[in-house]
Structure formats: C-alpha cells, structure tokens
Amino acid sequence: MALPFKRVTINDIRDMKQNGEKIAVLTAYDYSIAKIIDNCNIPIILVGDSLGMVVLGYETTLPVTMDIMIHHSKAVVRGTEHSLIVGDMPFMTYQVSVEDAVRNAGRFIQEAGVQAVKLEGGVNVAERVKRIVDCGIPVMGHIGMTPQSVNQLGGHLVQGKKLEVAQKLLDDAKAVEQAGACSIVLEGIPARLAALITQNVSIPTIGIGAGAGCDGQVQVINDILGLSDFTPKHAKQYTKLNEIIKQAVTAYHTEIIAGQFPTKENSYIIDSSVLEQVKAKIPLNLPL
Ligand code: KIV
C-alpha cells in the first residue's frame, strides 16, 4: 500500500484487512526511534506500556502510570507524521470504573495527541470499550496473554491451549469487536487458534506470539533491534544494536583515554586577539 501524506486512519487499517494486506505494527517510546519507524511507512506505532520493562527497567508493566505514558506518547507523536499512534492504557487506569476508562482515554487524545488507545481484556472490558468508542476514540483490544494480568495468569504464559480458555478467547474477541474496537491484539495464543479468531472477527487482528494467521504483527522495537535483555520466543532480532552500541561506546572511551577525541574538527575557534585580551585581564596572582 502506498501511504498517502497524512496519518493512517482506522479506515485504512480496516481496508488493509479487507484487501488481505498484512499490517506491520511496532512499539516506540521516544521521538528519534518513532521518527525512523514513521519514515519506514509502518502504519501503526504503539506506545506500549512495555516501556515499563524495556525502557524503565521494571520487572512487569504494572508500575507504569498515565503520566509516564503521556510523557512518552507526546514524544512519539512529535516524531511522526504518517503512522497511526496508539497509546496503551496502563494498569488501573481503566479497570476500576467506566468513568476512569473514558477520562484516561480522553487524556491520551487531548494531552498526548495519539489517535487511538489500547486496553487489555475481553468480555470484562467490553462496556469500557463501547463507552470510549462512543466518545469518538478508537480502541484497540488486547486478549490472550495480557501482561497486566501477569499475577492472575501465573506468569507470561501462552493462553488458550485448553478448550475452556480457547473458547473464552473466541468470546473475548467477539465481545471486543461488538463493543466497537477497531482492531485487536492477540498475544501469546497458539497459532491455529489465533487464525480461527482472525477468520471469525471482521476487525484486524494484530498478533504477537500468535502465529502467521493474524492480519498483522506487532513487535517490541527493542526486541527486533537486539536491545532487550533477552529475546522472547515470539521475537526475531533483525540486528544486534547492543553489540553495535557497545563497540561505539568502547571506541569513544578508548579515544578519550588516549587524548584522540576531540580533535580540531570537533572544536570551536576563538580569534587570537580576543584570547590575548582575555589573558591580559587575568590577575597576576591567579595560576594560569
Ligand atoms: O505494551 C506493549 O508493547 C504491548 C504489545 C506487546 C502488544 O502491549
């Protein structure tokens, strides 16, 4: 798809599913990476609460707050022109009440300037999805291995291998679709079940650890760039930025120690006559 010189909309994403075009989604958390992703014509950028883990070093996404998400989302919006930006609603910003959910989704739109929000859950959050959509805010659903429920799930574990949970995931996807979501993330779900869900909903499914049968894929940018502490099974390292950065930092360190940096090329000049006048004003008893 040739992307027009405007932001991708939820209608474009819906059309991509209908036309059988795969949808690539990446996370971003800051201005410079978002700018690169945007220039690569990636249609959707998710400011994921995974930033709690890959940017802030927490063990889970649970400590992430609305203020943190808005701070990072603003930077991503400033770095982009084309991609549709989705803000990820953090833990406890939509679970307690519908009012909280609507208010916090609104903050994402008004304060951060994103075009859509994402929240985790299925049947249990359908009412919230509907109320947010009723306010004119596009919502991306997220079912399966939902990291904000890590303690309830007993870990970051694949969901839906057993009949009861597999059936529940299908019901969750349907509930989110019926509530008006524009797309839905399927995370940590067996590939054939994710493909079945994809065939049974009209909205685009975006998989992560859910096989090739989804309408699109999302990956955490740090994982594909080789910046994360470890690479999950569902991810692929397309480069090893940690090695590249290590080499650059070591080269810098070595040059500083050897006095090889900065050189004349990295320095600014001052006219000799100005310098002489400055020197002449230095009191004699001061060491030079
Ligand atoms: O927070 C995140 O980055 C996500 C994606 C992995 C779907 O929710």
Side-chain angles (χ1 to χ4, degrees), residues 135-153:
C135 294
I137 301 172
V139 175
M140 177 183 262
H142 184 165
I143 64 168
M145 202 294 289
T146 43
Q148 290 174 16
S149 303
V150 60
N151 293 314
Q152 181 65 27
L153 299 175

Side-chain angles (χ1 to χ4, degrees), residues 2-285:
L3 293 179
F5 190 68
K6 65 170 180 72
R7 281 206 193 264
V8 171
T9 66
I10 60 168
N11 299 345
D12 297 322
I13 301 301
R14 186 197 51 216
D15 291 349
M16 286 176 82
K17 172 163 177 135
Q18 277 165 10
N19 298 335
E21 287 176 65
K22 291 285 186 185
I23 305 161
V25 183
L26 277 171
T27 68
Y29 316 105
D30 65 34
Y31 170 86
S32 44
I33 296 284
K35 194 167 181 173
I36 297 170
I37 298 173
D38 188 68
N39 280 331
C40 293
N41 279 350
I42 295 289
I44 304 179
I45 296 179
L46 169 68
V47 188
D49 64 353
S50 50
L51 74 83
M53 297 169 79
V54 299
V55 176
L56 303 178
Y58 291 119
E59 247 179 61
T60 68
T61 60
L62 302 182
V64 177
T65 64
M66 214 39 221
D67 286 344
I68 292 174
M69 289 305 299
I70 286 188
H71 179 72
H72 285 268
S73 300
K74 277 180 171 174
V76 168
V77 169
R78 283 193 293 266
T80 54
E81 290 177 39
H82 312 297
S83 308
L84 174 83
I85 313 298
V86 181
D88 204 2
M89 297 191 65
F91 184 54
M92 281 297 129
T93 64
Y94 58 93
Q95 286 90 342
V96 175
S97 68
V98 171
E99 287 71 23
D100 270 3
V102 171
R103 197 171 300 110
N104 285 316
R107 280 193 68 192
F108 257 123
I109 302 292
Q110 275 192 316
E111 296 179 38
V114 305
Q115 290 80 49
V117 298
K118 175 172 86 57
L119 51 84
E120 297 180 7
V123 173
N124 60 327
V125 296
E127 174 63 11
R128 282 140 174 79
V129 172
K130 184 177 174 341
R131 291 284 294 276
I132 296 170
V133 172
D134 283 348
C135 294
I137 301 172
V139 175
M140 177 183 262
H142 184 165
I143 64 168
M145 202 294 289
T146 43
Q148 290 174 16
S149 303
V150 60
N151 293 314
Q152 181 65 27
L153 299 175
H156 294 101
L157 305 173
V158 173
Q159 301 295 306
K161 288 187 177 178
K162 298 263 167 63
L163 176 62
E164 200 181 318
V165 179
Q167 184 59 60
K168 178 183 177 301
L169 289 176
L170 201 54
D171 294 344
D172 281 339
K174 281 278 177 201
V176 169
E177 175 194 31
Q178 276 159 22
C182 61
S183 63
I184 181 167
V185 170
L186 306 183
E187 178 164 1
I189 295 176
R192 287 193 293 166
L193 177 61
L196 186 69
I197 294 172
T198 300
Q199 287 153 18
N200 279 278
V201 292
S202 59
I203 55 176
T205 61
I206 309 294
I208 174 163
C214 300
D215 297 307
Q217 299 292 327
V218 57
Q219 285 287 305
V220 169
I221 187 73
N222 295 53
D223 290 343
I224 71 157
L225 296 182
L227 275 173
S228 304
D229 291 341
F230 82 105
T231 310
K233 176 177 163 65
H234 62 70
K236 176 175 169 183
Q237 273 189 4
Y238 287 83
T239 186
K240 292 187 185 303
L241 271 199
N242 52 359
E243 289 304 324
I244 294 168
I245 293 173
K246 216 157 114 186
Q247 277 168 24
V249 171
T250 305
Y252 168 75
H253 192 191
T254 307
E255 289 198 3
I256 297 297
I257 291 168
Q260 292 167 340
F261 176 86
T263 62
K264 263 190 180 169
E265 284 73 48
N266 312 113
S267 305
Y268 303 100
I269 52 169
I270 183 171
D271 202 88
S272 301
S273 66
V274 176
L275 192 62
E276 287 313 315
Q277 288 175 61
V278 174
K279 276 186 188 170
K281 290 200 171 145
I282 297 174
L284 287 177
N285 58 351

